[in-house]
Amino acid sequence: MTTEIWQLSEAELLADAAAVSHRIQLLEARRIALVADIDTRVSREKLGFPGPAGWLTSTTLLSPSKATKIVALARGMKNFPDIADAVNTGVMSVDHAALILTFAETPPKNLSEEGRDVARKALIAAATGPEARTSRIRAAITRLQDTFGNNKPPAEDTDRNELFASTTLNGRLVLKGDFDAITGEKLLTALSPLTEPHPAADGTETLKAGDDRSPAKRRADAFGHILDRYLASSNRPTEGGEKPHINLHIRLQDLQSQNSQNNSDITDDETTRAAAESDNDEANADGGGGDPVAADRGAYRDLFGDGTSVGWLPWMGPLSRNTSRQLACDCLLTAIVMDENGNPLNLARTARTVTAKQKRALTARDHGCAFPGCGKPAAWTEGHHIWHWADGGPTDMNNLVLLCGFHHRLIHHSDWEVFIAADQHPWFVPPATVDPNRQPRQSHARAGPHIA
């Protein structure tokens, strides 16, 4: 019987935590080894994705970035058994293995083959055991790159340029960049005239009396201003047949309900909740007993996104009602009539290709690639005819579904099937090799908790 944590002595707490950490390290190594074999032995049709990373994300709690890292380690460590051995025996962390593997796969150009082996072994030794420090490993790799790299100084090496853009759990975007000196100069030059402190209304230019934004906040505001100018320009490239622009999806009643809210202390959600509670009270009065879920059904339906979320951005996700209204103040509005299930009403046409308006309506329904677990942005998707056009299928909303390139090809060339169900949303049927029962699966945007 496992001893409760609160019953452990101090020494037992320390020993147990260390032992669990070691087991986690070994399990991580085991997962990497399993993914390596999945990568080579399991077909794309059975995975339902171009590789193990998408499958991992859709079937586990792993984030896309974490899943991608695991697959990269699985593929890379096949070529470097010494790195794999250190991970599999639990003497080196996965994070340190990733650092050393990156160095081993892209070594400095002027470092000899023998020198690469010696350097890799030295890095593995430095990363072994609890005494290992990431800063020392990074410093050693940097020295090797600077000493044996190409003739360009690090500040001028464009091969090192990187820009990471990751959405956070609370719906924000985190940017991390590493640029060469010339690119950095371009960015700082563009930001400079837009980052000057704004004077106060009376003309005062002191920071205390005027613009109290921090330098970081001023740079962020300036970066947003540069994006505004770019998106407003006429010579930018197209994506998905249209010039890139911000798309906001919001119900008309949410867009128009500000005045009614200002005249009332009760919000829409509270009204829904009150109505549900009133109905429940009537059921109790009739001797029906009462359903604790029914009282909050309307509120929970909104919470879990049954196609009725307040505001929604294709890349970043949910947006509050107030910010949605602010964004809608200066935009072109396209009306897309939706039914009670959050499905656009049919926009029938007889041509083969999907119109821009249909694409916007499909985006409002599917949000992106509809294949379960995918969800790639709508800008990267294509309109797929469920009943093929060549076989007489119309280009109507109830015969279309958004799919990314990979899943579009998968549906055409495998036993995966897709159909529009009674709720007017796409459902996917896996082949028997994936699920012997061929149980239909909801589209990506619809998956998750729902209150009937």
Side-chain angles (χ1 to χ4, degrees):
M1 181 176 178
T2 304
T3 305
E4 295 290 342
I5 292 178
W6 65 269
Q7 294 177 311
L8 297 176
S9 66
E10 291 182 354
E12 290 172 330
L13 279 172
L14 296 173
D16 206 8
V20 168
S21 297
H22 182 64
R23 289 200 296 273
I24 290 173
Q25 173 69 27
L26 294 177
L27 287 172
E28 283 191 321
R30 173 72 173 175
R31 180 170 59 188
I32 291 170
L34 290 169
V35 169
D37 263 31
I38 289 173
D39 193 29
T40 56
R41 291 169 51 191
V42 181
S43 68
R44 289 185 172 189
E45 178 182 342
K46 191 156 190 175
L47 284 177
F49 291 90
W55 175 83
L56 274 173
T57 302
S58 69
T59 56
T60 71
L61 299 179
L62 292 171
S63 66
S65 59
K66 180 67 173 177
T68 300
K69 182 178 179 180
I70 290 171
V71 174
L73 284 167
R75 292 172 177 172
M77 289 198 300
K78 285 184 176 181
N79 301 319
F80 299 96
D82 48 358
I83 299 177
D85 288 343
V87 173
N88 292 335
T89 55
V91 299
M92 184 170 66
S93 73
V94 171
D95 289 335
H96 285 164
L99 268 178
I100 298 173
L101 182 61
T102 300
F103 169 81
E105 290 179 327
T106 55
K109 296 179 180 179
N110 297 323
L111 185 60
S112 66
E113 191 70 34
E114 181 181 0
R116 296 173 186 180
D117 292 338
V118 171
R120 189 177 68 255
K121 291 176 182 178
L123 290 170
I124 292 173
T128 298
E131 300 295 325
R133 296 292 178 267
T134 303
S135 58
R136 293 184 61 193
I137 299 169
R138 286 187 182 277
I141 291 174
T142 300
R143 283 195 293 272
L144 287 166
Q145 290 172 333
D146 289 346
T147 303
F148 299 101
N150 56 26
N151 295 327
K152 287 184 179 180
E156 301 171 20
D157 189 357
T158 57
D159 290 339
R160 296 187 176 197
N161 287 3
E162 293 179 319
L163 179 63
F164 299 95
S166 304
T167 53
T168 65
L169 290 176
N170 63 356
R172 295 183 63 82
L173 183 72
V174 174
L175 295 177
K176 180 181 178 183
D178 182 5
F179 301 110
D180 65 281
I182 301 301
T183 304
E185 185 71 11
K186 292 176 183 177
L187 178 59
L188 294 177
T189 300
L191 290 174
S192 178
L194 302 172
T195 54
E196 297 176 355
H198 297 159
D202 60 357
T204 306
E205 295 189 7
T206 61
L207 183 60
K208 184 175 181 180
D211 194 342
D212 59 355
R213 295 176 300 163
S214 67
K217 179 64 168 64
R218 296 202 306 272
R219 284 192 295 271
D221 291 345
F223 189 67
H225 189 62
I226 291 173
L227 295 178
D228 288 339
R229 290 185 177 182
Y230 167 74
L231 292 174
S233 66
S234 60
N235 59 350
R236 62 192 188 282
T238 62
E239 184 178 51
E242 293 186 295
K243 293 185 183 299
H245 52 275
I246 293 178
N247 287 287
L248 169 70
H249 299 263
I250 184 171
R251 298 183 304 180
L252 184 62
Q253 63 214 65
D254 289 318
L255 197 61
Q256 294 179 333
S257 61
Q258 187 172 21
N259 291 336
S260 61
Q261 281 196 348
N262 288 340
N263 296 328
S264 174
D265 292 332
I266 301 178
T267 65
D268 289 345
D269 289 342
E270 288 169 341
T271 303
T272 303
R273 183 188 299 259
E277 289 174 345
S278 176
D279 292 342
N280 195 45
D281 289 342
E282 291 177 5
N284 289 337
D286 293 337
D291 180 358
V293 174
D296 291 333
R297 182 168 290 148
Y300 278 110
R301 183 178 292 114
D302 283 346
L303 280 177
F304 290 122
D306 286 1
T308 57
S309 53
V310 174
W312 177 74
L313 297 169
W315 286 97
M316 295 298 296
L319 199 65
S320 71
R321 182 182 285 111
N322 286 338
T323 303
S324 296
R325 291 191 185 115
Q326 177 185 338
L327 192 59
C329 283
D330 184 22
C331 70
L332 295 176
L333 292 176
T334 299
I336 301 174
V337 182
M338 314 283 279
D339 63 17
E340 67 277 6
N341 293 314
N343 181 65
L345 297 183
N346 192 35
L347 301 173
R349 68 187 302 267
T350 56
R352 176 169 185 163
T353 56
V354 175
T355 66
K357 187 171 183 179
Q358 282 181 313
K359 181 66 179 287
R360 287 191 287 268
L362 286 169
T363 301
R365 185 192 71 189
D366 297 343
H367 291 192
C369 179
F371 192 89
C374 183
K376 279 189 171 60
W380 298 355
T381 61
E382 306 157 349
H384 165 70
H385 289 76
I386 297 173
W387 175 17
H388 298 326
W389 170 268
D391 297 331
T395 307
D396 295 348
M397 289 296 298
N398 58 6
N399 191 47
L400 294 170
V401 59
L402 286 185
L403 295 173
C404 68
F406 174 82
H407 287 120
H408 199 171
R409 293 187 295 273
L410 183 71
I411 292 295
H412 274 283
H413 302 294
S414 75
D415 292 329
W416 278 90
E417 298 175 7
V418 57
F419 66 95
I420 301 294
D423 62 359
Q424 297 301 305
H425 285 270
W427 288 69
F428 293 79
V429 182
T433 54
V434 175
D435 178 6
N437 297 320
R438 303 204 71 191
Q439 185 70 29
R441 304 179 182 183
Q442 295 191 75
S443 62
H444 179 80
R446 299 276 293 173
H450 292 277
I451 302 298

